[in-house]
Amino acid sequence: MKNYLEYVNPLQGSCSVVSRSYGNTLPLVGKPFAMTSWTLQTSEGQWIFHPDECQLQGIRATHQPSPWMQDYGHFVVMPQVGELLLSAEDRSSCYNIEKSIIKPDYIKVFLESYDTNVEITATERCCFMQVKFPEIKQSRRVILDVFQGTSNINISSDGNCGTISGFTCASSGSVHSGFAGYFVMEFNCSILLDRSGLFHENKVLNKACGEGEKIGAFVEFTTTDDKTVDVRIGTSFISVEQAHRNLDVEIGNHSFDEVRWGVAETWNEMLGRIDIEPIVDEDLNTFYSCLYRAFLFPRKWYEYDENKKPVHYSPYDGTVYSGVFYAENGFWDTHRTVYPLLSIIAPNELTEILNGWVAHYQESGWLPKWSNPGESGVMIGTHIDAVIADAVSKNICGFDVECAFEGMMKHAMHKAPSEKQGRQAIKDYMRLGFVPDECAKHSVSRTLDFAYGDFCIAQVAKLFGKTKEAELMSERALNYRNVFDCDVGFMRGRHSDGTFVEPFDEFAWGGPYVEGSAWQCGWAVPHDPKGLIELMGGKKTFLDKLDKMLSLPPTFHVGAYGEEIHEMTEMAAVNFGQYAHSNQPVHHLLYLFAVAGRPDKTQYWVRRVLQDLYGADVKGFAGDEDNGEMASWFVLSALGIYPLCPGVPSYVLGSPMVKEATVLLHSSKKLKILAKNNSQENLYVYNIKHNDCKIDDVQISHEDLVSGGVLQFEMRIGKTVKGKW
């Protein structure tokens, strides 16, 4: 089997800080969609890791989906030699990231301060750490550090091997009051109980078990034992007993190499679902690094009981339920590209994920908006509507669609008890056909998102013969028209009396818009591009406006945000005018050129974004990568397809950045994508065929795509003529 892992750089996008994001990513080790991931910690803050930091504080068990969302159930493991130093800063060791190995299945670092090698590999819920201490006769130990919140730890030894077990209640808030992250650490050698113990901050507590605020542990080993110490770590959200069970099932008595091989095999199978021959070799690294990121989230938030049945702890009510559960996803981001990509190359995994999202509704009464792991309510809209509609429209229905539809109708018709859930100002939207500016922030963006959500609900209703609901939601899907001001040519905020909010500033961010201005946020009508074109004055006016957006200077006014936020900085840092690829609202925009009759402009600009705004290095993204969304944009666009409107089973055809690709589909089918004469210069398409049948449209259906065969693009350097192939 081809080793796709060699092309993946987990450090992609990790060179990020509060004021500038190149991805806000972490180098995560573990199986695809792992419940617990493992990463390097160079800081205790929200920004866990930075590649420029030369001091390593330890290996962190993390569930963090984004630094903006913070972590929960997390802890750090750090080997140490010599003097006992407990705080993160004191115990840190210098290391050289250039000499380290960091892959999806494996991390190897050398702790220079301690002359110690550390290797890890990880499964879905467990980690295998191998520590090679120096031969010098100094104290050798492993430190377990936790974070704010109650923790309970017990150190034990049977003479031949030692164990640390317990839990931490550290969380970012979106969990039940009884939440805890449980762990067990098993060492393959005896520990010196009289030289081991608990600690709080820098204070040693002379006991082997205890509970309290931020209680950590350290265990010391004899200096006469073999210098290599194996540390097997199991995690759970249910109990210490379940953590033991997870460890026995996923690692058991297997050797480090055996576990690593199994993880690598899983990754290679997933990554190998798309095999590409790129135009330039460097694109292999970018492509597979992005594909790796598409398989990290959401997390499998379930475990297997003694009968090998899936069970999970509910972050909503603290009950352990039967069945699968998933967490860590912001649908405002991921609905655009991640789920459409999964529908092509991972429909079985997508089906299970959808069952997990339905479980959120069954346990909380509301479908999730931003799961971390319970509802955080961070972003606007109910974009899980698009995720569900996209799956159903593609006949991916192996989940409780009836229950999902019930949840969709509930948040479309009823006010939620908390602003975190459902649609804020839904009753005003239903009454007026738009969200009034004084009733909720980001009123224009909410109106557009609600209208799109209504469209998606209508699609599900139509497919299941729910005529009344389909008609109502189809009518509401046109509500985007209610916030368009033809006098200025932009979507604008409105008051309850129907008047537009004054003054109007097309470059002002925030207020009626979310994470953008009228330029970035006014195109969010993926479900009715023809209607949007007409609303804006016809194809010529529409195309002129798209051109203007890409040619204007990247001017921004801080507006309601009151200060320059990182998305503004990122837009201004690249030469794409008001097109802010650094954030999700514009990600469908370049494909609107094709729908409006200028596929050549789609081809030109998409290629420019692929070539200029992506890479496999630590500055590999133009902004927040967001749970695989920006990475999936690259994967899909590099293949020459893009889901303009999730919920509609079709893809706009673009300009592939590969010479050839083989996509493994469901039921052992294959799709071969060929781009004849493709090069960095030959970026324009002049003919497309699917299975030798010429495609005259700018789109291809999902049904045709996943039927397999050959999708052939013929490329040239000159533009297409009058919008035709």
Side-chain angles (χ1 to χ4, degrees):
M1 176 184 283
K2 188 174 179 179
N3 184 15
Y4 296 95
L5 286 172
E6 68 178 280
Y7 304 122
V8 178
N9 181 16
L11 294 171
Q12 180 192 33
S14 61
C15 188
S16 301
V17 293
V18 176
S19 59
R20 179 71 191 273
S21 172
Y22 289 101
N24 266 328
T25 61
L26 290 171
L28 299 176
V29 173
K31 282 191 173 183
F33 309 115
M35 187 182 85
T36 301
S37 297
W38 306 81
T39 191
L40 304 174
Q41 177 176 301
T42 58
S43 171
E44 288 189 289
Q46 290 174 238
W47 275 258
I48 296 170
F49 169 81
H50 196 285
D52 290 343
E53 294 290 340
C54 59
Q55 292 290 125
L56 186 65
Q57 298 175 351
I59 305 297
R60 178 160 167 165
T62 180
H63 308 98
Q64 179 176 286
S66 162
W68 305 110
M69 303 304 295
Q70 303 185 53
D71 213 339
Y72 63 88
H74 47 304
F75 57 89
V76 176
V77 180
M78 180 64 169
Q80 188 178 75
V81 173
E83 181 184 0
L84 178 63
L85 301 170
L86 295 169
S87 73
E89 185 175 342
D90 290 345
R91 71 168 182 260
S92 66
S93 169
C94 55
Y95 84 113
N96 187 335
I97 196 168
E98 299 296 331
K99 296 181 180 179
S100 303
I101 300 173
I102 301 174
K103 289 294 178 183
D105 64 319
Y106 177 71
I107 287 180
K108 180 178 182 179
V109 293
F110 180 67
L111 305 179
E112 297 183 19
S113 302
Y114 302 129
D115 193 23
T116 295
N117 270 305
V118 180
E119 297 173 90
I120 68 165
T121 188
T123 57
E124 288 171 339
R125 302 164 189 87
C126 304
C127 173
F128 197 142
M129 177 184 293
Q130 204 161 62
V131 184
K132 295 183 179 179
F133 288 108
E135 294 184 5
I136 57 174
K137 292 188 179 298
Q138 285 186 303
S139 299
R140 300 179 297 177
R141 69 183 66 85
V142 167
I143 297 170
L144 167 68
D145 199 4
V146 295
F147 294 80
Q148 291 300 322
T150 301
S151 55
N152 177 294
I153 294 183
N154 179 65
I155 302 172
S156 61
S157 179
D158 65 2
N160 295 317
C161 60
T163 302
I164 302 176
S165 61
F167 64 77
T168 172
C169 296
S171 79
S172 54
S174 299
V175 291
H176 184 260
S177 58
F179 166 82
Y182 298 90
F183 51 81
V184 58
M185 300 174 59
E186 296 180 351
F187 304 91
N188 70 332
C189 59
S190 60
I191 59 177
L192 301 171
L193 286 175
D194 61 336
R195 297 182 64 85
S196 304
L198 309 185
F199 69 94
H200 172 68
E201 295 181 348
N202 273 321
K203 182 180 179 181
V204 174
L205 308 176
N206 293 315
K207 52 184 178 179
C209 62
E211 182 173 314
E213 175 68 21
K214 203 177 182 295
I215 300 294
F218 60 94
V219 292
E220 194 159 310
F221 312 105
T222 64
T223 57
T224 56
D225 289 343
D226 188 286
K227 64 180 181 180
T228 299
V229 174
D230 290 345
V231 188
R232 293 171 168 85
I233 309 171
T235 69
S236 171
F237 294 121
I238 295 174
S239 65
V240 170
E241 179 186 13
Q242 183 66 47
H244 273 287
R245 182 176 295 118
N246 294 341
L247 186 58
D248 289 343
V249 170
E250 296 185 14
I251 293 181
N253 294 320
H254 292 293
S255 69
F256 182 91
D257 289 341
E258 287 171 336
V259 174
R260 182 188 174 189
W261 182 87
V263 178
E265 186 179 43
T266 300
W267 269 114
N268 270 313
E269 189 278 321
M270 294 292 284
L271 296 169
R273 294 183 187 186
I274 306 178
D275 182 77
I276 68 165
E277 180 186 345
I279 295 172
V280 293
D281 289 344
E282 291 81 3
D283 291 340
L284 279 169
N285 301 95
T286 305
F287 186 91
Y288 287 106
S289 295
C290 284
L291 191 55
Y292 151 77
R293 297 226 156 260
F295 293 139
L296 294 176
F297 298 98
R299 294 189 181 281
K300 294 181 178 181
W301 228 73
Y302 65 89
E303 306 164 55
Y304 290 97
D305 66 12
E306 65 275 13
N307 298 313
K308 300 181 181 180
K309 301 293 185 182
V311 293
H312 65 270
Y313 173 90
S314 173
Y316 295 106
D317 62 14
T319 301
V320 176
Y321 289 99
S322 298
V324 301
F325 196 86
Y326 277 76
E328 312 317 324
N329 229 234
F331 298 102
W332 185 83
D333 304 296
T334 57
H335 80 275
R336 305 167 199 266
T337 58
V338 176
Y339 291 93
L341 177 61
L342 294 179
S343 75
I344 299 170
I345 61 173
N348 290 338
E349 289 85 349
L350 175 57
T351 298
E352 183 177 277
I353 290 168
L354 289 163
N355 275 298
W357 297 136
V358 171
H360 281 253
Y361 175 68
Q362 294 168 331
E363 294 166 26
S364 72
W366 297 89
L367 285 167
K369 293 162 59 179
W370 220 125
S371 160
N372 185 43
E375 183 56 67
S376 65
V378 171
M379 295 302 291
I380 64 171
T382 52
H383 292 92
I384 194 168
D385 298 330
V387 174
I388 294 168
D390 196 56
V392 171
S393 72
K394 296 170 179 176
N395 199 32
I396 299 172
C397 298
F399 62 103
D400 193 336
V401 180
E402 190 70 35
C403 186
F405 182 74
E406 178 185 300
M408 296 165 83
M409 286 299 296
K410 183 176 181 178
H411 62 223
M413 301 296 292
H414 300 283
K415 180 181 179 181
S418 166
E419 289 187 357
K420 286 185 175 183
Q421 298 164 315
R423 299 182 181 181
Q424 193 176 343
I426 183 59
K427 291 299 182 179
D428 299 287
Y429 171 80
M430 292 169 63
R431 176 172 57 90
L432 298 170
F434 61 89
V435 175
D437 192 70
E438 59 269 25
C439 294
K441 293 191 299 182
H442 315 311
S443 60
V444 168
S445 293
R446 286 184 195 275
T447 298
L448 302 183
D449 288 350
F450 291 0
Y452 173 42
D454 291 342
F455 169 84
C456 292
I457 297 171
Q459 305 318 296
V460 178
K462 289 175 185 176
L463 289 166
F464 285 87
K466 299 179 182 294
T467 306
K468 181 180 177 181
E469 292 91 339
E471 290 176 352
L472 173 63
M473 292 300 154
S474 293
E475 181 180 345
R476 282 173 39 169
L478 301 177
N479 281 342
Y480 71 87
R481 299 174 177 177
N482 297 334
V483 290
F484 184 75
D485 182 358
C486 59
D487 289 338
V488 299
F490 286 99
M491 303 287 182
R492 290 184 61 185
R494 294 179 71 181
H495 295 296
S496 296
D497 63 6
T499 58
F500 286 108
V501 175
E502 298 289 354
F504 174 67
D505 178 354
E506 65 192 81
F507 299 114
W509 282 46
Y513 314 105
V514 63
E515 295 185 1
S517 71
W519 275 108
Q520 293 78 42
C521 299
W523 310 87
V525 190
H527 58 290
D528 190 16
K530 291 182 179 178
L532 182 63
I533 290 168
E534 292 174 6
L535 192 65
M536 288 189 170
K539 285 188 176 181
K540 184 180 185 307
T541 303
F542 185 81
L543 289 166
D544 287 346
K545 189 154 192 168
L546 286 173
D547 285 335
K548 184 177 180 181
M549 181 181 191
L550 287 150
S551 62
L552 280 170
T555 302
F556 62 83
H557 301 152
V558 297
Y561 285 106
E563 62 181 358
E564 183 174 332
I565 61 174
H566 73 94
E567 290 90 348
M568 301 172 189
T569 306
E570 290 145 15
M571 180 186 74
V574 297
N575 187 28
F576 284 82
Q578 290 291 316
Y579 177 80
H581 194 77
S582 52
N583 208 12
Q584 279 69 28
V586 302
H587 278 188
H588 69 297
L589 188 142
L590 300 180
Y591 290 91
L592 291 175
F593 276 118
V595 176
R598 291 301 303 268
D600 58 304
K601 292 195 174 185
T602 290
Q603 294 153 19
Y604 171 78
W605 285 108
V606 166
R607 275 290 191 97
R608 276 220 36 208
V609 171
L610 289 169
Q611 292 171 354
D612 296 356
L613 300 185
Y614 284 87
D617 62 0
V618 296
K619 295 184 177 181
F621 296 106
D624 283 355
E625 195 282 320
D626 287 321
N627 302 151
E629 194 284 330
M630 197 172 288
S632 296
W633 191 99
F634 182 93
V635 171
L636 289 161
S637 294
L639 295 176
I641 58 175
Y642 188 80
L644 178 67
C645 179
V648 174
S650 65
Y651 307 87
V652 177
L653 296 161
S655 176
M657 205 168 76
V658 296
K659 293 179 179 179
E660 183 177 321
T662 300
V663 183
L664 302 185
L665 305 168
H666 189 51
S667 301
S668 301
K669 295 179 181 178
K670 294 182 181 180
L671 172 69
K672 186 174 286 292
I673 297 173
L674 296 175
K676 294 178 66 176
N677 304 315
N678 204 5
S679 68
Q680 290 181 314
E681 295 76 25
N682 291 359
L683 58 89
Y684 293 105
V685 179
Y686 73 92
N687 190 33
I688 302 180
K689 294 180 181 179
H690 180 238
N691 293 336
D692 291 327
C693 294
K694 182 175 169 57
I695 298 178
D696 292 318
D697 196 0
V698 295
Q699 302 190 53
I700 185 172
S701 72
H702 178 79
E703 183 179 11
D704 285 346
L705 196 74
V706 299
S707 68
V710 179
L711 179 63
Q712 181 173 292
F713 296 78
E714 293 187 48
M715 314 297 293
R716 66 180 179 187
I717 197 167
K719 299 180 182 179
T720 49
V721 181
K722 293 184 180 180
K724 296 184 178 180
W725 307 129

